[in-house]
Amino acid sequence: IEAFLEKHPAGVSEHGFLRHLEQQGFFRSLTPRAGSSLLLFQKHFLLFHALYCINRQRVADRQGALHISPLLIKSLAYVEASTQIGEPDELADYYLNIENLQGTTEDNVNDLLDAFWVRYLNNEQRGDALQVLGLSDPVTDRQIVQRYRKLAAVHHPDKGGETGKIQAINEAYAVLIRS
């Protein structure tokens, strides 16, 4: 893994890294019966586990660090740590705990993927909903509620508003309170 990183000083994507490791035969021992989403999760987890282990050692030895994300995995030069205590790294904690790999089932992976797509689609809808209410991020829940009430009072059919407009306002509000 470290040799591959040295050959790619500009970094490499997780996909590129996994493809290289597969060509080297690193994942032959994984359960062939595993479904495609579980198998992909296992490969992802093993790579990130190794990367976070390497990162921890590099930082401890003051040799540098790694930038670790699905879009870019890259070696970084060592930079003296500041005197401030850093934030806990929940991702590192997750990937360094091998029990998270062993305890994950196909159903768990599918649930994670489903939740991702729900959040992704909600974020996509969020922009449209904010536009309907005449707002833009960053915006607080309180601001959303206030704007909704103001628009609903003006555009409600009982106040002379159009049914289509109040429906759009209600739908936008429903999207925003879910996200």
Side-chain angles (χ1 to χ4, degrees):
I1 288 175
E2 291 186 273
F4 187 71
L5 284 170
E6 286 177 23
K7 290 180 185 176
H8 296 86
V12 63
S13 70
E14 177 185 9
H15 175 72
F17 220 129
L18 288 175
R19 199 170 66 234
H20 167 74
L21 293 174
E22 286 171 345
Q23 291 169 352
Q24 301 300 312
F26 275 84
F27 300 115
R28 276 182 264 180
S29 64
L30 292 178
T31 308
R33 293 187 320 251
S36 62
S37 59
L38 180 60
L39 188 60
L40 181 59
F41 170 79
Q42 291 170 338
K43 292 175 184 180
H44 161 80
F45 189 96
L46 288 170
L47 173 60
F48 274 49
H49 175 77
L51 291 169
Y52 278 107
C53 287
I54 292 167
N55 186 57
R56 179 180 274 178
Q57 191 61 51
R58 282 187 175 189
V59 171
D61 294 344
R62 297 180 172 205
Q63 294 177 340
L66 295 178
H67 172 84
I68 304 169
S69 79
L71 297 179
L72 181 66
I73 300 165
K74 180 179 178 180
S75 290
L76 303 172
Y78 178 76
V79 178
E80 281 293 326
S82 70
T83 57
Q84 298 176 343
I85 296 175
E87 293 291 317
D89 190 344
E90 292 176 11
L91 277 177
D93 293 343
Y94 176 80
Y95 287 109
L96 288 168
N97 183 349
I98 201 71
E99 290 177 12
N100 289 321
L101 170 64
Q102 296 163 339
T104 301
T105 66
E106 181 90 24
D107 288 340
N108 297 143
V109 174
N110 289 332
D111 290 346
L112 286 170
L113 290 170
D114 290 345
F116 164 79
W117 285 112
V118 166
R119 282 191 311 276
Y120 177 79
L121 293 173
N122 280 347
N123 284 341
E124 206 170 79
Q125 294 171 343
R126 181 177 173 83
D128 294 339
L130 286 170
Q131 189 174 11
V132 168
L133 297 184
L135 298 169
S136 61
D137 274 324
V139 63
T140 65
D141 288 345
R142 184 173 181 214
Q143 291 170 317
I144 292 169
V145 169
Q146 288 174 340
R147 183 67 176 165
Y148 165 75
R149 288 180 179 162
K150 183 177 179 179
L151 290 173
V154 170
H155 296 286
H156 195 279
D158 292 346
K159 305 277 185 173
E162 296 177 23
T163 302
K165 181 70 174 174
I166 194 66
Q167 287 174 338
I169 291 167
N170 287 335
E171 288 171 13
Y173 179 70
V175 166
L176 294 172
I177 59 171
R178 277 194 321 248
S179 60

